[in-house]
Amino acid sequence: MALVMISSLYQGGREALARTLADKAHWSFLTREELQEQAKQQGIRVGRLEVSMIKRPSNSEKLAREKKLYLAFLTSALCKKALEGNLVYSGRAGHLLLPGVRNRLRVGLTAPLDIRIQRTAKSLNMTPDQAESYLMQLDEDFAKWIRHIHHASGQDPNQFDVFFNLENTTVPNAAEILHNIAQLPEYRATTASTRMLKDLYLCAQAELRLIMDEKTSAVDLKVQAENEVLTVTYPPHHEKIS
């Protein structure tokens, strides 16, 4: 079972690479944007969370709950899809998701600014100067989002296994390289990595239900799963809720 997580602020590039790899290998393909739509259908206010995290980040209980809910949903959806078979995921910071799953191939992607400016100006009918200003602000906002959601830099090289610059590497060639790497022993699913996926899925499912339940939504619960055994702990003063 291959699990390739392609991450970049450059949406067009990462989606093109993910789709090319998925088509080549006949693997499932999933994007952050698809998961966002699914989250909205479940009543998760992703747009409001993004604005709050980027424009006025705070540690309010309500914002912390929405963040936890969003991450639980992403984890649950990704684990479920990955457990069904080979998966290629395209997202802003997908390489920071599913921690502990050792066989995931974490891929970073970038492209020269002038290429991004040219493509953005064409797709959004902007002048090059407008497109550059737009991209600079967009990158800044996305970097804030990743920092507040994941408590990490989205560009830390230590968090990637492979990093591509599309200036000299074509998307088809990058897909070919990733296809070969994903079949190496280091990135093949093992009993341990599959068990970790199952534990993450169980934990995320439990968190979703607890956060969305009015009786437990405001409780500071800690949920863990090990070998498919779920443990939920809570502060002593919330004992009556159990």
Side-chain angles (χ1 to χ4, degrees):
M1 176 177 62
L3 180 55
V4 183
M5 317 289 280
I6 301 176
S7 303
S8 177
L9 302 185
Y10 175 28
Q11 181 180 344
R14 62 174 154 83
E15 285 194 7
L17 178 56
R19 190 176 295 279
T20 302
L21 173 59
D23 288 345
K24 174 181 178 57
H26 304 291
W27 294 344
S28 294
F29 168 64
L30 189 62
T31 71
R32 175 186 183 274
E33 290 67 34
E34 289 176 293
L35 289 184
Q36 273 197 312
E37 285 304 313
Q38 294 176 23
K40 291 175 184 176
Q41 292 171 13
Q42 296 295 319
I44 300 173
R45 300 178 179 179
V46 181
R48 188 176 71 175
L49 179 61
E50 281 195 333
V51 171
S52 298
M53 284 292 180
I54 292 171
K55 302 302 180 184
R56 48 181 186 281
S58 69
N59 293 317
S60 70
E61 290 185 8
K62 188 172 183 179
L63 196 58
R65 174 187 174 278
E66 291 186 358
K67 171 186 168 182
K68 192 173 182 180
L69 179 62
Y70 175 65
L71 285 174
F73 175 83
L74 286 183
T75 301
S76 174
L78 279 171
C79 286
K80 181 180 179 181
K81 196 70 175 176
L83 287 167
E84 293 173 356
N86 301 316
L87 175 65
V88 184
Y89 175 69
S90 161
R92 291 180 193 165
H95 64 295
L96 298 174
L97 296 169
L98 308 186
V101 179
R102 297 297 297 273
N103 69 306
R104 61 190 170 136
L105 175 54
R106 302 166 299 173
V107 183
L109 182 70
T110 190
L113 183 59
D114 59 336
I115 292 177
R116 295 181 63 204
I117 289 173
Q118 182 181 5
R119 292 180 178 176
T120 300
K122 183 178 180 180
S123 63
L124 298 181
N125 194 26
M126 293 178 170
T127 66
D129 287 344
Q130 289 173 328
E132 182 175 8
S133 297
Y134 171 80
L135 287 172
M136 296 296 284
Q137 185 61 57
L138 197 66
D139 286 355
E140 182 181 336
D141 288 346
F142 287 170
K144 287 180 182 178
W145 164 260
I146 293 170
R147 187 167 59 251
H148 291 306
I149 289 291
H150 299 286
H151 301 292
S153 167
Q155 298 300 310
D156 181 357
N158 294 311
Q159 299 287 351
F160 296 98
D161 299 301
V162 183
F163 204 98
F164 290 103
N165 184 335
L166 292 182
E167 180 176 17
N168 297 313
T169 303
T170 65
V171 167
N173 284 344
E176 178 71 28
I177 293 169
L178 289 178
H179 186 221
N180 291 329
I181 293 175
Q183 297 179 72
L184 295 174
E186 295 93 326
Y187 300 106
R188 291 177 187 165
T190 63
T191 301
S193 65
T194 301
R195 184 172 60 245
M196 176 60 75
L197 269 176
K198 290 180 178 178
D199 285 343
L200 285 173
Y201 179 62
L202 179 61
C203 187
Q205 281 283 297
E207 286 186 327
L208 281 172
R209 295 188 182 188
L210 290 167
I211 295 171
M212 298 183 82
D213 191 314
E214 291 183 1
K215 295 180 181 178
T216 53
S217 62
V219 182
D220 183 21
L221 299 172
K222 292 188 178 2
V223 183
Q224 292 180 307
E226 185 173 355
N227 294 323
E228 297 186 70
V229 176
L230 190 69
T231 303
V232 180
T233 57
Y234 49 85
H237 61 278
H238 283 135
E239 183 176 359
K240 291 183 179 180
I241 296 177
S242 64

